[in-house]
Amino acid sequence: MTIHARYIKPNMQIIHVNDQEVQFMLSPLEKGFGMPFANLLRRVLLRYTPGIGIIGLSIKGIDNIHPYTKIPGVKEDVAEMLSNLRSILIQRYKGDTLSMCIEKKGPSIILAKDIQHDEHTVIINQEQYVCTLDTEAQVFITIYGNIGYGFVPSSYHGYQKNIMFCDTVYTPIKHVSFYTRTYVTYEEVIFNVQTNGTCLPIDAVKNAFIFLNAKTDLPIIK
């Protein structure tokens, strides 16, 4: 004999939303289910929301590049420059990989808005500092990126003697928090999700539910 239980199907109510933040409520949920489900959704948002990340750079005229390579006429070494480049916020509308370049003569302060890219790429924080060139400096820097999830160490990207790879943080999620309310027969969970502006927070939430659905939509055991 099989007993078919009647489960509660929650609804999603948007409380507040803009380009970088969404607050929503899931209700009703079975008592005792709100906290574990909220923790699961939070982990999916933080770990499996796709984003664009910088994976490395190459500099014309420099082989066997390493983190402490000094570029003639440039104030920063390679490690400092990569640290600045990793702070650039990028939107990518077509393609999974990214190649951009900086071609500049000194004296000059290079910002993110000086980076050359294709029409499918948008840099959000145009004023992000990259490096400073002295009077005689001239550089041609190629910057590489791709789409990924979470955090990836530099060793994952492989090795090429003329490319300096770096650790990459892909996630566009800046913050996820939640709290639960418990009533006599059900619970509700209120979420707050913030992104860095490279993706809409409501899209990140939709992606998280699609991910969970893909993992749980399994054939029923007969």
Side-chain angles (χ1 to χ4, degrees), residues 8-21:
I8 300 173
K9 185 176 182 179
N11 297 309
M12 180 177 176
Q13 177 186 345
I14 303 296
I15 300 171
H16 166 76
V17 65
N18 58 36
D19 289 345
Q20 290 187 256
E21 183 178 14

Side-chain angles (χ1 to χ4, degrees), residues 20-24 45 173-177 191-195 201-202 204-205:
Q20 290 187 256
E21 183 178 14
V22 64
Q23 187 177 37
F24 64 93
L45 281 163
I173 304 297
K174 290 178 61 178
H175 174 79
V176 181
S177 62
F191 267 91
N192 182 270
V193 180
Q194 298 174 15
T195 69
I202 193 66
V205 174

Side-chain angles (χ1 to χ4, degrees), residues 117-177:
H117 52 77
D118 62 27
E119 68 274 16
H120 305 300
T121 303
V122 175
I123 294 177
I124 303 298
N125 51 341
Q126 295 274 313
E127 299 302 315
Q128 168 63 37
Y129 175 78
V130 177
C131 63
T132 298
L133 305 185
D134 294 338
T135 305
E136 302 299 325
Q138 182 174 356
V139 296
F140 187 92
I141 302 168
T142 304
I143 305 159
Y144 305 96
N146 60 17
I147 293 177
Y149 304 94
F151 170 83
V152 173
S154 59
S155 57
Y156 178 85
H157 302 307
Y159 170 78
Q160 294 184 43
K161 68 176 183 178
N162 62 332
I163 298 178
M164 181 66 220
F165 291 108
C166 62
D167 297 340
T168 306
V169 177
Y170 290 104
T171 180
I173 304 297
K174 290 178 61 178
H175 174 79
V176 181
S177 62

Side-chain angles (χ1 to χ4, degrees), residues 21-37:
E21 183 178 14
V22 64
Q23 187 177 37
F24 64 93
M25 179 173 67
L26 294 176
S27 176
L29 294 165
E30 286 86 353
K31 291 191 69 174
F33 186 66
M35 184 67 73
F37 181 74

